Amino acid sequence: MNTKKIIICIMGLIFAGISADLHANFANTFGYSAEGISRGNAMTAVVNDWTSVWYNVGGLGKGRANAGTSTVSRGGEMTLKLRKTEGESETSSETYPNCFGVNVLFIYPQLNLNIQRFATTASGDYVPVKTKAADMDYYGFLVLGGALDLNTIVKLPDFISSCRLGLGLGTNWDGSLVKVNDLDPRTHNFLRYGREIQTSIIMVGLGIGFLDDAFGLGAGANVSFAGQASAIMETQLTGDPQIPLAQATMDLSIAPAAIAGIYFSPGKFYSPIDGLDIGASYRMETKMKIDPFNAAAVLFNGSINMNLMLAIVDYYTPHTVTGGIAYTRWGVTLSADVNWELWSMNYVSKVLKFHYFGLPEFEDTLSYKVGVKYKTPLTLFGLAVMGGYSYVPSILADNAGTTMGIRIGTVSNSLATGMFNYMDNDKHLASLGVEFTVPKMWRLGGEIVISLAYQFQYLVPTSVQKNGIMITGGTQDDVLDTYLINPSYSYGGMNHGAALSLGMRI
């Protein structure tokens, strides 16, 4: 076994030279709860349960919003009390500020990549080369959370109508916390689906409401991890496979990213606009970063020492600002959100910066979301029907697949037009859902809420036109060979998502 092969083997054994593709998490791509997904994720102005930690942490300050009645089912997203109307008797109301729940999200992807790639063999023949970019199995996520009314622990001042602590944990349903990806940016790869988004989310927040929940605010943290590591490996130049003696350390610490939100219900001050709600939220960027990762490899019998400058960087979600408005009347709530994601501020690891020049630029995006919820007049088991629509643009610039790029490699250097193959589409999302509320009865401590959701995602077909020009090692390669291995292509498809939520309000 030659020295070159030994070095490549050792570098492959050291799980460290990892640099992330740009991608989001599952909540960015699909949603955080069954109700949110059903309503097009247009939840910023209306959310009032533990899922506020994702949609708008200020919603934790709406502790009195979860109000029920003993005899009458009332419409409205923000009911605080019951008013006596003509022909109707006044009834008692009860609030359920404490809540907890579990959501299960199932994704069935049907993505496609229309491409025909070929490579040249030593004999000069052309053989097809497959890519697995669109070969995704079904996957899913489990989301758990709760909100605790702090008034149950300590009596707060009267001007504070609600104060709740919320916690949310989302993880892959197979039990894995993070699926780290190490893909060359030349690889054809969907950025926001499959393994790329299979990352845990840990969020905690506190929300406070004032003047009977007429307005409120909240703050908290989206928890990620960062740290540093080191490794040293010792091996010999004989033997295949190599069995190196290794020593490694890794220190990880919490790297919180801020979340904040506010809400305002002006109808609490001016009755003609009762039912109007406004909200805004902010989520700071998150990433997993282990840097520096100092590594060394010592090869005996060959007197070769290698010092490696490495880094582990995975999962990135951008700074996100969302504004929302909602209006409730006659049991119908209409809501709309505008979501601004600052993808242009993405973090690029030093590994990618060193080896690649001309990486595709990413664009800030504005997403538009609308939703509706209708609370039917059923009294025994409260039934609500929901629907929603979202438009989510691609984060890629138009020239992302054709721009000039340079790769500085360990074997040879290359300069090419269109060498990078990140894939992301404009997307249309449509959703439907139902919600059942089982009132407090028997030995139950509160209401049980069951939600079912279906989401359909349509990826607008996108084409990339390559020209196949490449220079390697300072000489002109055969243009045909280059084009055959990296040809023009188109991609798109759809995703089917289903969510089930089971929760209780106490």
Side-chain angles (χ1 to χ4, degrees), residues 156-191:
L156 299 173
D158 291 340
F159 65 87
I160 298 178
S161 52
S162 300
C163 184
R164 291 191 296 174
L165 179 67
L167 175 67
L169 169 63
T171 189
N172 305 313
W173 68 359
D174 61 5
S176 60
L177 293 179
V178 178
K179 295 189 176 179
V180 179
N181 302 280
D182 182 17
L183 295 180
D184 190 307
R186 296 172 298 175
T187 304
H188 297 81
N189 184 37
F190 285 92
L191 296 178

PDB file of all heavy atoms in Angstrom, residues 156-191:
ATOM      1  N   LEU A 156     -48.628  36.526  40.849  1.00  0.00           N
ATOM      2  CA  LEU A 156     -48.032  37.666  40.169  1.00  0.00           C
ATOM      3  C   LEU A 156     -48.891  38.906  40.333  1.00  0.00           C
ATOM      4  O   LEU A 156     -50.080  38.813  40.661  1.00  0.00           O
ATOM      5  CB  LEU A 156     -47.857  37.332  38.682  1.00  0.00           C
ATOM      6  CG  LEU A 156     -46.936  36.139  38.383  1.00  0.00           C
ATOM      7  CD1 LEU A 156     -46.964  35.797  36.910  1.00  0.00           C
ATOM      8  CD2 LEU A 156     -45.507  36.436  38.832  1.00  0.00           C
ATOM      9  N   PRO A 157     -48.343  40.098  40.095  1.00  0.00           N
ATOM     10  CA  PRO A 157     -49.131  41.330  40.211  1.00  0.00           C
ATOM     11  C   PRO A 157     -50.356  41.306  39.305  1.00  0.00           C
ATOM     12  O   PRO A 157     -50.358  40.661  38.248  1.00  0.00           O
ATOM     13  CB  PRO A 157     -48.133  42.413  39.779  1.00  0.00           C
ATOM     14  CG  PRO A 157     -46.788  41.821  40.053  1.00  0.00           C
ATOM     15  CD  PRO A 157     -46.923  40.358  39.797  1.00  0.00           C
ATOM     16  N   ASP A 158     -51.386  42.034  39.696  1.00  0.00           N
ATOM     17  CA  ASP A 158     -52.655  42.003  38.977  1.00  0.00           C
ATOM     18  C   ASP A 158     -52.543  42.496  37.541  1.00  0.00           C
ATOM     19  O   ASP A 158     -53.305  42.060  36.670  1.00  0.00           O
ATOM     20  CB  ASP A 158     -53.704  42.832  39.728  1.00  0.00           C
ATOM     21  CG  ASP A 158     -54.114  42.186  41.043  1.00  0.00           C
ATOM     22  OD1 ASP A 158     -53.891  40.961  41.179  1.00  0.00           O
ATOM     23  OD2 ASP A 158     -54.634  42.897  41.921  1.00  0.00           O
ATOM     24  N   PHE A 159     -51.620  43.428  37.269  1.00  0.00           N
ATOM     25  CA  PHE A 159     -51.529  43.955  35.907  1.00  0.00           C
ATOM     26  C   PHE A 159     -50.918  42.931  34.935  1.00  0.00           C
ATOM     27  O   PHE A 159     -50.991  43.090  33.728  1.00  0.00           O
ATOM     28  CB  PHE A 159     -50.720  45.260  35.873  1.00  0.00           C
ATOM     29  CG  PHE A 159     -49.265  45.101  36.243  1.00  0.00           C
ATOM     30  CD1 PHE A 159     -48.319  44.775  35.278  1.00  0.00           C
ATOM     31  CD2 PHE A 159     -48.855  45.276  37.553  1.00  0.00           C
ATOM     32  CE1 PHE A 159     -46.990  44.632  35.611  1.00  0.00           C
ATOM     33  CE2 PHE A 159     -47.516  45.129  37.893  1.00  0.00           C
ATOM     34  CZ  PHE A 159     -46.579  44.810  36.932  1.00  0.00           C
ATOM     35  N   ILE A 160     -50.325  41.856  35.475  1.00  0.00           N
ATOM     36  CA  ILE A 160     -49.845  40.757  34.635  1.00  0.00           C
ATOM     37  C   ILE A 160     -50.964  39.727  34.550  1.00  0.00           C
ATOM     38  O   ILE A 160     -51.245  39.018  35.513  1.00  0.00           O
ATOM     39  CB  ILE A 160     -48.562  40.129  35.206  1.00  0.00           C
ATOM     40  CG1 ILE A 160     -47.430  41.161  35.238  1.00  0.00           C
ATOM     41  CG2 ILE A 160     -48.150  38.912  34.382  1.00  0.00           C
ATOM     42  CD1 ILE A 160     -46.140  40.630  35.828  1.00  0.00           C
ATOM     43  N   SER A 161     -51.606  39.658  33.420  1.00  0.00           N
ATOM     44  CA  SER A 161     -52.743  38.753  33.286  1.00  0.00           C
ATOM     45  C   SER A 161     -52.304  37.315  33.061  1.00  0.00           C
ATOM     46  O   SER A 161     -52.986  36.374  33.476  1.00  0.00           O
ATOM     47  CB  SER A 161     -53.643  39.212  32.132  1.00  0.00           C
ATOM     48  OG  SER A 161     -52.894  39.396  30.948  1.00  0.00           O
ATOM     49  N   SER A 162     -51.171  37.132  32.402  1.00  0.00           N
ATOM     50  CA  SER A 162     -50.672  35.783  32.122  1.00  0.00           C
ATOM     51  C   SER A 162     -49.154  35.796  32.133  1.00  0.00           C
ATOM     52  O   SER A 162     -48.524  36.772  31.733  1.00  0.00           O
ATOM     53  CB  SER A 162     -51.152  35.285  30.747  1.00  0.00           C
ATOM     54  OG  SER A 162     -52.555  35.242  30.675  1.00  0.00           O
ATOM     55  N   CYS A 163     -48.581  34.690  32.560  1.00  0.00           N
ATOM     56  CA  CYS A 163     -47.130  34.527  32.515  1.00  0.00           C
ATOM     57  C   CYS A 163     -46.843  33.033  32.442  1.00  0.00           C
ATOM     58  O   CYS A 163     -47.110  32.297  33.387  1.00  0.00           O
ATOM     59  CB  CYS A 163     -46.462  35.152  33.737  1.00  0.00           C
ATOM     60  SG  CYS A 163     -44.656  35.077  33.700  1.00  0.00           S
ATOM     61  N   ARG A 164     -46.318  32.599  31.310  1.00  0.00           N
ATOM     62  CA  ARG A 164     -46.121  31.165  31.123  1.00  0.00           C
ATOM     63  C   ARG A 164     -44.716  30.873  30.611  1.00  0.00           C
ATOM     64  O   ARG A 164     -44.135  31.626  29.825  1.00  0.00           O
ATOM     65  CB  ARG A 164     -47.144  30.597  30.128  1.00  0.00           C
ATOM     66  CG  ARG A 164     -48.565  30.602  30.672  1.00  0.00           C
ATOM     67  CD  ARG A 164     -49.500  29.808  29.779  1.00  0.00           C
ATOM     68  NE  ARG A 164     -49.632  30.400  28.464  1.00  0.00           N
ATOM     69  CZ  ARG A 164     -50.313  29.830  27.459  1.00  0.00           C
ATOM     70  NH1 ARG A 164     -50.907  28.665  27.649  1.00  0.00           N
ATOM     71  NH2 ARG A 164     -50.402  30.431  26.304  1.00  0.00           N
ATOM     72  N   LEU A 165     -44.212  29.746  31.062  1.00  0.00           N
ATOM     73  CA  LEU A 165     -42.937  29.224  30.608  1.00  0.00           C
ATOM     74  C   LEU A 165     -43.214  28.091  29.634  1.00  0.00           C
ATOM     75  O   LEU A 165     -43.976  27.173  29.946  1.00  0.00           O
ATOM     76  CB  LEU A 165     -42.117  28.713  31.791  1.00  0.00           C
ATOM     77  CG  LEU A 165     -40.743  28.106  31.480  1.00  0.00           C
ATOM     78  CD1 LEU A 165     -39.788  29.171  30.964  1.00  0.00           C
ATOM     79  CD2 LEU A 165     -40.171  27.423  32.730  1.00  0.00           C
ATOM     80  N   GLY A 166     -42.609  28.156  28.461  1.00  0.00           N
ATOM     81  CA  GLY A 166     -42.859  27.148  27.438  1.00  0.00           C
ATOM     82  C   GLY A 166     -41.602  26.407  27.038  1.00  0.00           C
ATOM     83  O   GLY A 166     -40.493  26.959  27.065  1.00  0.00           O
ATOM     84  N   LEU A 167     -41.783  25.148  26.660  1.00  0.00           N
ATOM     85  CA  LEU A 167     -40.671  24.313  26.233  1.00  0.00           C
ATOM     86  C   LEU A 167     -41.112  23.465  25.060  1.00  0.00           C
ATOM     87  O   LEU A 167     -42.222  22.917  25.055  1.00  0.00           O
ATOM     88  CB  LEU A 167     -40.205  23.404  27.381  1.00  0.00           C
ATOM     89  CG  LEU A 167     -39.122  22.371  27.053  1.00  0.00           C
ATOM     90  CD1 LEU A 167     -37.809  23.066  26.722  1.00  0.00           C
ATOM     91  CD2 LEU A 167     -38.935  21.397  28.221  1.00  0.00           C
ATOM     92  N   GLY A 168     -40.261  23.365  24.053  1.00  0.00           N
ATOM     93  CA  GLY A 168     -40.552  22.523  22.901  1.00  0.00           C
ATOM     94  C   GLY A 168     -39.322  21.751  22.464  1.00  0.00           C
ATOM     95  O   GLY A 168     -38.217  22.305  22.423  1.00  0.00           O
ATOM     96  N   LEU A 169     -39.505  20.473  22.177  1.00  0.00           N
ATOM     97  CA  LEU A 169     -38.421  19.621  21.709  1.00  0.00           C
ATOM     98  C   LEU A 169     -38.897  18.875  20.472  1.00  0.00           C
ATOM     99  O   LEU A 169     -39.884  18.139  20.515  1.00  0.00           O
ATOM    100  CB  LEU A 169     -38.001  18.617  22.788  1.00  0.00           C
ATOM    101  CG  LEU A 169     -37.044  17.495  22.345  1.00  0.00           C
ATOM    102  CD1 LEU A 169     -35.714  18.072  21.883  1.00  0.00           C
ATOM    103  CD2 LEU A 169     -36.836  16.483  23.463  1.00  0.00           C
ATOM    104  N   GLY A 170     -38.189  19.072  19.371  1.00  0.00           N
ATOM    105  CA  GLY A 170     -38.480  18.340  18.146  1.00  0.00           C
ATOM    106  C   GLY A 170     -37.294  17.497  17.750  1.00  0.00           C
ATOM    107  O   GLY A 170     -36.153  17.971  17.779  1.00  0.00           O
ATOM    108  N   THR A 171     -37.545  16.245  17.387  1.00  0.00           N
ATOM    109  CA  THR A 171     -36.439  15.358  17.040  1.00  0.00           C
ATOM    110  C   THR A 171     -36.892  14.361  15.988  1.00  0.00           C
ATOM    111  O   THR A 171     -38.090  14.212  15.714  1.00  0.00           O
ATOM    112  CB  THR A 171     -35.921  14.627  18.291  1.00  0.00           C
ATOM    113  OG1 THR A 171     -34.724  13.924  17.971  1.00  0.00           O
ATOM    114  CG2 THR A 171     -36.960  13.649  18.820  1.00  0.00           C
ATOM    115  N   ASN A 172     -35.947  13.686  15.378  1.00  0.00           N
ATOM    116  CA  ASN A 172     -36.268  12.668  14.385  1.00  0.00           C
ATOM    117  C   ASN A 172     -36.971  11.495  15.055  1.00  0.00           C
ATOM    118  O   ASN A 172     -36.596  11.087  16.161  1.00  0.00           O
ATOM    119  CB  ASN A 172     -34.982  12.180  13.704  1.00  0.00           C
ATOM    120  CG  ASN A 172     -34.182  13.315  13.105  1.00  0.00           C
ATOM    121  OD1 ASN A 172     -34.712  14.174  12.425  1.00  0.00           O
ATOM    122  ND2 ASN A 172     -32.886  13.325  13.377  1.00  0.00           N
ATOM    123  N   TRP A 173     -37.950  10.952  14.392  1.00  0.00           N
ATOM    124  CA  TRP A 173     -38.743   9.912  15.045  1.00  0.00           C
ATOM    125  C   TRP A 173     -37.983   8.585  15.172  1.00  0.00           C
ATOM    126  O   TRP A 173     -38.428   7.683  15.878  1.00  0.00           O
ATOM    127  CB  TRP A 173     -40.075   9.713  14.355  1.00  0.00           C
ATOM    128  CG  TRP A 173     -40.054   9.120  12.965  1.00  0.00           C
ATOM    129  CD1 TRP A 173     -38.956   8.748  12.233  1.00  0.00           C
ATOM    130  CD2 TRP A 173     -41.183   8.824  12.165  1.00  0.00           C
ATOM    131  NE1 TRP A 173     -39.339   8.248  11.022  1.00  0.00           N
ATOM    132  CE2 TRP A 173     -40.705   8.279  10.944  1.00  0.00           C
ATOM    133  CE3 TRP A 173     -42.558   8.966  12.336  1.00  0.00           C
ATOM    134  CZ2 TRP A 173     -41.554   7.878   9.917  1.00  0.00           C
ATOM    135  CZ3 TRP A 173     -43.398   8.559  11.309  1.00  0.00           C
ATOM    136  CH2 TRP A 173     -42.903   8.031  10.124  1.00  0.00           C
ATOM    137  N   ASP A 174     -36.814   8.465  14.526  1.00  0.00           N
ATOM    138  CA  ASP A 174     -36.027   7.249  14.698  1.00  0.00           C
ATOM    139  C   ASP A 174     -35.096   7.338  15.904  1.00  0.00           C
ATOM    140  O   ASP A 174     -34.289   6.433  16.139  1.00  0.00           O
ATOM    141  CB  ASP A 174     -35.224   6.941  13.435  1.00  0.00           C
ATOM    142  CG  ASP A 174     -34.228   8.044  13.087  1.00  0.00           C
ATOM    143  OD1 ASP A 174     -34.090   9.000  13.870  1.00  0.00           O
ATOM    144  OD2 ASP A 174     -33.589   7.939  12.018  1.00  0.00           O
ATOM    145  N   GLY A 175     -35.200   8.433  16.675  1.00  0.00           N
ATOM    146  CA  GLY A 175     -34.420   8.583  17.881  1.00  0.00           C
ATOM    147  C   GLY A 175     -33.108   9.315  17.704  1.00  0.00           C
ATOM    148  O   GLY A 175     -32.460   9.665  18.690  1.00  0.00           O
ATOM    149  N   SER A 176     -32.693   9.571  16.474  1.00  0.00           N
ATOM    150  CA  SER A 176     -31.441  10.291  16.247  1.00  0.00           C
ATOM    151  C   SER A 176     -31.636  11.774  16.522  1.00  0.00           C
ATOM    152  O   SER A 176     -32.700  12.338  16.270  1.00  0.00           O
ATOM    153  CB  SER A 176     -30.951  10.088  14.811  1.00  0.00           C
ATOM    154  OG  SER A 176     -31.913  10.562  13.884  1.00  0.00           O
ATOM    155  N   LEU A 177     -30.601  12.413  17.047  1.00  0.00           N
ATOM    156  CA  LEU A 177     -30.672  13.837  17.362  1.00  0.00           C
ATOM    157  C   LEU A 177     -30.285  14.700  16.170  1.00  0.00           C
ATOM    158  O   LEU A 177     -30.959  15.669  15.837  1.00  0.00           O
ATOM    159  CB  LEU A 177     -29.776  14.157  18.556  1.00  0.00           C
ATOM    160  CG  LEU A 177     -30.204  13.566  19.897  1.00  0.00           C
ATOM    161  CD1 LEU A 177     -29.208  13.938  20.984  1.00  0.00           C
ATOM    162  CD2 LEU A 177     -31.605  14.043  20.276  1.00  0.00           C
ATOM    163  N   VAL A 178     -29.169  14.378  15.547  1.00  0.00           N
ATOM    164  CA  VAL A 178     -28.687  15.150  14.395  1.00  0.00           C
ATOM    165  C   VAL A 178     -28.100  14.178  13.387  1.00  0.00           C
ATOM    166  O   VAL A 178     -27.336  13.285  13.750  1.00  0.00           O
ATOM    167  CB  VAL A 178     -27.606  16.178  14.807  1.00  0.00           C
ATOM    168  CG1 VAL A 178     -27.090  16.923  13.579  1.00  0.00           C
ATOM    169  CG2 VAL A 178     -28.144  17.152  15.831  1.00  0.00           C
ATOM    170  N   LYS A 179     -28.438  14.351  12.124  1.00  0.00           N
ATOM    171  CA  LYS A 179     -27.810  13.586  11.062  1.00  0.00           C
ATOM    172  C   LYS A 179     -26.868  14.526  10.310  1.00  0.00           C
ATOM    173  O   LYS A 179     -27.301  15.379   9.546  1.00  0.00           O
ATOM    174  CB  LYS A 179     -28.865  12.987  10.134  1.00  0.00           C
ATOM    175  CG  LYS A 179     -29.732  11.954  10.851  1.00  0.00           C
ATOM    176  CD  LYS A 179     -30.643  11.192   9.919  1.00  0.00           C
ATOM    177  CE  LYS A 179     -31.415  10.111  10.681  1.00  0.00           C
ATOM    178  NZ  LYS A 179     -32.339   9.356   9.815  1.00  0.00           N
ATOM    179  N   VAL A 180     -25.574  14.359  10.589  1.00  0.00           N
ATOM    180  CA  VAL A 180     -24.566  15.246  10.034  1.00  0.00           C
ATOM    181  C   VAL A 180     -24.293  14.845   8.590  1.00  0.00           C
ATOM    182  O   VAL A 180     -24.211  13.668   8.256  1.00  0.00           O
ATOM    183  CB  VAL A 180     -23.272  15.182  10.872  1.00  0.00           C
ATOM    184  CG1 VAL A 180     -22.202  16.082  10.285  1.00  0.00           C
ATOM    185  CG2 VAL A 180     -23.574  15.574  12.312  1.00  0.00           C
ATOM    186  N   ASN A 181     -24.141  15.844   7.725  1.00  0.00           N
ATOM    187  CA  ASN A 181     -23.945  15.606   6.301  1.00  0.00           C
ATOM    188  C   ASN A 181     -22.629  16.218   5.841  1.00  0.00           C
ATOM    189  O   ASN A 181     -22.303  17.346   6.215  1.00  0.00           O
ATOM    190  CB  ASN A 181     -25.093  16.210   5.498  1.00  0.00           C
ATOM    191  CG  ASN A 181     -26.435  15.647   5.908  1.00  0.00           C
ATOM    192  OD1 ASN A 181     -26.805  14.567   5.487  1.00  0.00           O
ATOM    193  ND2 ASN A 181     -27.149  16.357   6.759  1.00  0.00           N
ATOM    194  N   ASP A 182     -21.895  15.477   5.041  1.00  0.00           N
ATOM    195  CA  ASP A 182     -20.621  15.953   4.501  1.00  0.00           C
ATOM    196  C   ASP A 182     -20.649  15.720   2.993  1.00  0.00           C
ATOM    197  O   ASP A 182     -20.147  14.715   2.501  1.00  0.00           O
ATOM    198  CB  ASP A 182     -19.461  15.208   5.155  1.00  0.00           C
ATOM    199  CG  ASP A 182     -18.111  15.707   4.651  1.00  0.00           C
ATOM    200  OD1 ASP A 182     -18.075  16.810   4.075  1.00  0.00           O
ATOM    201  OD2 ASP A 182     -17.106  15.000   4.838  1.00  0.00           O
ATOM    202  N   LEU A 183     -21.264  16.643   2.268  1.00  0.00           N
ATOM    203  CA  LEU A 183     -21.423  16.487   0.831  1.00  0.00           C
ATOM    204  C   LEU A 183     -20.648  17.566   0.094  1.00  0.00           C
ATOM    205  O   LEU A 183     -20.728  18.753   0.430  1.00  0.00           O
ATOM    206  CB  LEU A 183     -22.901  16.550   0.434  1.00  0.00           C
ATOM    207  CG  LEU A 183     -23.779  15.412   0.954  1.00  0.00           C
ATOM    208  CD1 LEU A 183     -25.209  15.594   0.494  1.00  0.00           C
ATOM    209  CD2 LEU A 183     -23.258  14.054   0.501  1.00  0.00           C
ATOM    210  N   ASP A 184     -19.917  17.142  -0.910  1.00  0.00           N
ATOM    211  CA  ASP A 184     -19.219  18.058  -1.790  1.00  0.00           C
ATOM    212  C   ASP A 184     -20.252  18.972  -2.461  1.00  0.00           C
ATOM    213  O   ASP A 184     -21.297  18.493  -2.924  1.00  0.00           O
ATOM    214  CB  ASP A 184     -18.474  17.227  -2.845  1.00  0.00           C
ATOM    215  CG  ASP A 184     -17.516  18.051  -3.673  1.00  0.00           C
ATOM    216  OD1 ASP A 184     -17.950  19.072  -4.242  1.00  0.00           O
ATOM    217  OD2 ASP A 184     -16.337  17.661  -3.759  1.00  0.00           O
ATOM    218  N   PRO A 185     -20.012  20.296  -2.532  1.00  0.00           N
ATOM    219  CA  PRO A 185     -21.010  21.182  -3.162  1.00  0.00           C
ATOM    220  C   PRO A 185     -21.213  20.903  -4.637  1.00  0.00           C
ATOM    221  O   PRO A 185     -22.159  21.418  -5.233  1.00  0.00           O
ATOM    222  CB  PRO A 185     -20.436  22.580  -2.925  1.00  0.00           C
ATOM    223  CG  PRO A 185     -18.995  22.382  -2.631  1.00  0.00           C
ATOM    224  CD  PRO A 185     -18.888  21.052  -1.967  1.00  0.00           C
ATOM    225  N   ARG A 186     -20.368  20.074  -5.240  1.00  0.00           N
ATOM    226  CA  ARG A 186     -20.592  19.672  -6.625  1.00  0.00           C
ATOM    227  C   ARG A 186     -21.636  18.570  -6.731  1.00  0.00           C
ATOM    228  O   ARG A 186     -22.122  18.268  -7.831  1.00  0.00           O
ATOM    229  CB  ARG A 186     -19.271  19.211  -7.256  1.00  0.00           C
ATOM    230  CG  ARG A 186     -18.228  20.326  -7.359  1.00  0.00           C
ATOM    231  CD  ARG A 186     -16.882  19.790  -7.807  1.00  0.00           C
ATOM    232  NE  ARG A 186     -16.343  18.827  -6.853  1.00  0.00           N
ATOM    233  CZ  ARG A 186     -15.214  18.136  -7.045  1.00  0.00           C
ATOM    234  NH1 ARG A 186     -14.521  18.317  -8.158  1.00  0.00           N
ATOM    235  NH2 ARG A 186     -14.793  17.298  -6.132  1.00  0.00           N
ATOM    236  N   THR A 187     -21.980  17.949  -5.595  1.00  0.00           N
ATOM    237  CA  THR A 187     -22.971  16.884  -5.577  1.00  0.00           C
ATOM    238  C   THR A 187     -24.368  17.450  -5.795  1.00  0.00           C
ATOM    239  O   THR A 187     -24.726  18.481  -5.246  1.00  0.00           O
ATOM    240  CB  THR A 187     -22.932  16.148  -4.227  1.00  0.00           C
ATOM    241  OG1 THR A 187     -21.610  15.663  -4.006  1.00  0.00           O
ATOM    242  CG2 THR A 187     -23.912  14.995  -4.206  1.00  0.00           C
ATOM    243  N   HIS A 188     -25.178  16.771  -6.597  1.00  0.00           N
ATOM    244  CA  HIS A 188     -26.575  17.168  -6.768  1.00  0.00           C
ATOM    245  C   HIS A 188     -27.303  16.882  -5.461  1.00  0.00           C
ATOM    246  O   HIS A 188     -27.360  15.732  -5.016  1.00  0.00           O
ATOM    247  CB  HIS A 188     -27.217  16.394  -7.919  1.00  0.00           C
ATOM    248  CG  HIS A 188     -26.577  16.669  -9.247  1.00  0.00           C
ATOM    249  ND1 HIS A 188     -25.404  16.059  -9.648  1.00  0.00           N
ATOM    250  CD2 HIS A 188     -26.922  17.508 -10.253  1.00  0.00           C
ATOM    251  CE1 HIS A 188     -25.070  16.495 -10.852  1.00  0.00           C
ATOM    252  NE2 HIS A 188     -25.977  17.374 -11.240  1.00  0.00           N
ATOM    253  N   ASN A 189     -27.872  17.932  -4.863  1.00  0.00           N
ATOM    254  CA  ASN A 189     -28.392  17.761  -3.508  1.00  0.00           C
ATOM    255  C   ASN A 189     -29.526  18.744  -3.236  1.00  0.00           C
ATOM    256  O   ASN A 189     -29.356  19.961  -3.384  1.00  0.00           O
ATOM    257  CB  ASN A 189     -27.252  17.986  -2.502  1.00  0.00           C
ATOM    258  CG  ASN A 189     -27.690  17.732  -1.085  1.00  0.00           C
ATOM    259  OD1 ASN A 189     -28.474  16.837  -0.803  1.00  0.00           O
ATOM    260  ND2 ASN A 189     -27.218  18.564  -0.162  1.00  0.00           N
ATOM    261  N   PHE A 190     -30.696  18.216  -2.833  1.00  0.00           N
ATOM    262  CA  PHE A 190     -31.793  19.060  -2.368  1.00  0.00           C
ATOM    263  C   PHE A 190     -31.441  19.594  -0.982  1.00  0.00           C
ATOM    264  O   PHE A 190     -31.112  18.835  -0.074  1.00  0.00           O
ATOM    265  CB  PHE A 190     -33.096  18.261  -2.298  1.00  0.00           C
ATOM    266  CG  PHE A 190     -33.723  17.975  -3.634  1.00  0.00           C
ATOM    267  CD1 PHE A 190     -33.438  16.809  -4.313  1.00  0.00           C
ATOM    268  CD2 PHE A 190     -34.592  18.882  -4.211  1.00  0.00           C
ATOM    269  CE1 PHE A 190     -34.014  16.545  -5.545  1.00  0.00           C
ATOM    270  CE2 PHE A 190     -35.190  18.633  -5.447  1.00  0.00           C
ATOM    271  CZ  PHE A 190     -34.889  17.455  -6.114  1.00  0.00           C
ATOM    272  N   LEU A 191     -31.543  20.900  -0.803  1.00  0.00           N
ATOM    273  CA  LEU A 191     -31.066  21.529   0.425  1.00  0.00           C
ATOM    274  C   LEU A 191     -32.038  21.420   1.594  1.00  0.00           C
ATOM    275  O   LEU A 191     -31.617  21.506   2.747  1.00  0.00           O
ATOM    276  CB  LEU A 191     -30.781  23.013   0.174  1.00  0.00           C
ATOM    277  CG  LEU A 191     -29.664  23.329  -0.818  1.00  0.00           C
ATOM    278  CD1 LEU A 191     -29.546  24.837  -0.984  1.00  0.00           C
ATOM    279  CD2 LEU A 191     -28.340  22.748  -0.351  1.00  0.00           C
TER     280      LEU A 191
END
